[in-house]
Amino acid sequence: MSSTATLLRPIGRCRVMGVVNVTPDSFSDGGLWIDPGAAAEHGLELAEQGADLVDVGGESTRPGAMRIDAEQERERVLPVVRRLAGQGVDVSVDTMRADVAAAALDAGAVLVNDVSGGRADPEMIPLVARTGAPVVLMHWRGHADRMQDLTQYDDVVGDVVRELRAQVDAALEAGIAPEHVVVDPGLGFSKTGEQNWTVLAGLDTFASLGHPLLVAASRKRFLGELLGDDDGHRPVTAREDATAALTTLAAAAGAWCVRVHDPLRSVDAVRVVARLAQEIRSTPEGLP
């Protein structure tokens, strides 16, 4: 298991985070891993496939999803975190609640992945500051039941960077160490399909924030729209090749990590990008 000091340290390639949704209603795998035992086994499989971290979440954040209470979220998440951490897996907890994050860290999680970027629960940022845990701060404008009503931007990339910078500044002012902050542009959250593509085209702009970047595009709706036909969107589980393509692009843009449901293709993709980057660095300037 990685230490806090090494988790965000460069390792020569983009990391891959596998996803375990212990929910009945997530857009991709809702209901598949609602049993904690099955969820833990799936997390171990993701680690065996090469995932560097396994992200465990107990509350769906798909567009339109309704919130559950904290007790139910803890009951879903904690047994899975304990089992995976006990097997030496680096576990991140996907939660917007400080008390769930605290319990998960006590159970062995090593990173907090807060899709609200600390905005949904005023206790989240102070908790992370006290514990010293690394945290992912995602760009966020509102909860799932209304987030797609909040897609108005003057300049989507510039506005997302500016709003993320405000979230990062709040975290740093609260005492979170700069080296413990990861940023996530929040693909699919308060963004239309077209806006997601614009954000992806501007990934290099997020380097201006000065923190590692997490990209979470796996199986998302805008991929289904792109790949669809007259019969409708491409089914969720048939978007893996497109996900791997975006993993390649994110890794080439310098992302610290990609968050994916099926790590196999993405693990290969980040290794290819790293090897090519190594070759480019070693090739004398001017040679093909």
Side-chain angles (χ1 to χ4, degrees):
M1 182 177 293
S2 299
S3 68
T4 297
T6 63
L7 187 62
L8 306 187
R9 188 175 297 167
I11 58 172
R13 61 165 174 80
C14 178
R15 286 174 168 83
V16 175
M17 175 189 285
V19 180
V20 177
N21 289 314
V22 196
T23 64
D25 55 344
S26 290
F27 82 94
S28 173
D29 53 359
L32 292 179
W33 317 115
I34 190 64
D35 175 75
E41 287 300 320
H42 182 56
L44 291 172
E45 290 172 0
L46 299 182
E48 290 171 0
Q49 291 172 11
D52 300 289
L53 300 98
V54 174
D55 193 42
V56 179
E59 180 178 28
S60 175
T61 53
R62 64 172 175 77
M66 301 303 293
R67 300 213 70 189
I68 60 173
D69 62 45
E71 181 179 359
Q72 188 174 18
E73 187 180 356
R74 285 193 298 270
E75 289 174 353
R76 291 176 177 180
V77 166
L78 295 183
V80 184
V81 173
R82 289 192 191 97
R83 171 78 182 280
L84 294 176
Q87 293 292 316
V89 176
D90 283 334
V91 180
S92 57
V93 58
D94 176 2
T95 184
M96 294 181 280
R97 289 187 170 100
D99 60 346
V100 176
L105 291 170
D106 287 343
V110 295
L111 180 143
V112 176
N113 181 15
D114 182 355
V115 299
S116 81
R119 292 184 167 182
D121 184 344
E123 297 302 316
M124 179 66 87
I125 294 301
L127 166 78
V128 173
R130 288 195 305 272
T131 62
V135 62
V136 177
L137 302 176
M138 195 191 80
H139 174 258
W140 188 81
R141 285 182 162 186
H143 285 292
D145 60 345
R146 66 186 186 95
M147 67 182 180
Q148 292 313 105
D149 297 326
L150 305 172
T151 60
Q152 294 75 37
Y153 298 89
D154 293 325
D155 167 12
V156 63
V157 174
D159 290 352
V160 170
V161 169
R162 176 178 52 79
E163 291 171 25
L164 259 179
R165 181 173 286 113
Q167 291 172 241
V168 170
D169 288 346
L172 300 182
E173 289 171 8
I176 297 177
E179 62 270 21
H180 290 173
V181 174
V182 177
V183 294
D184 177 347
L187 296 170
F189 288 79
S190 297
K191 296 169 190 70
T192 65
E194 289 300 318
Q195 289 168 342
N196 289 328
W197 289 111
T198 303
V199 169
L200 284 165
L203 280 183
D204 57 339
T205 308
F206 291 87
S208 67
L209 293 168
H211 297 278
L213 179 68
L214 173 69
V215 177
S218 180
R219 298 181 177 176
K220 288 192 173 179
R221 180 184 178 91
F222 70 99
L223 293 178
E225 292 173 347
L226 174 71
L227 303 173
D229 54 27
D230 292 341
D231 294 327
H233 294 173
R234 177 77 64 84
V236 169
T237 55
R239 302 173 190 173
E240 290 303 334
D241 290 337
T243 295
L246 288 184
T247 288
T248 303
L249 296 171
W256 163 75
C257 188
V258 291
R259 182 181 183 273
V260 299
H261 296 84
D262 183 354
L264 279 174
R265 295 175 179 83
S266 288
V267 168
D268 287 350
V270 299
R271 292 176 63 189
V272 169
V273 171
R275 180 63 184 85
L276 184 58
Q278 177 186 347
E279 191 67 19
I280 291 171
R281 289 193 299 269
S282 66
T283 300
E285 187 175 352
L287 292 181

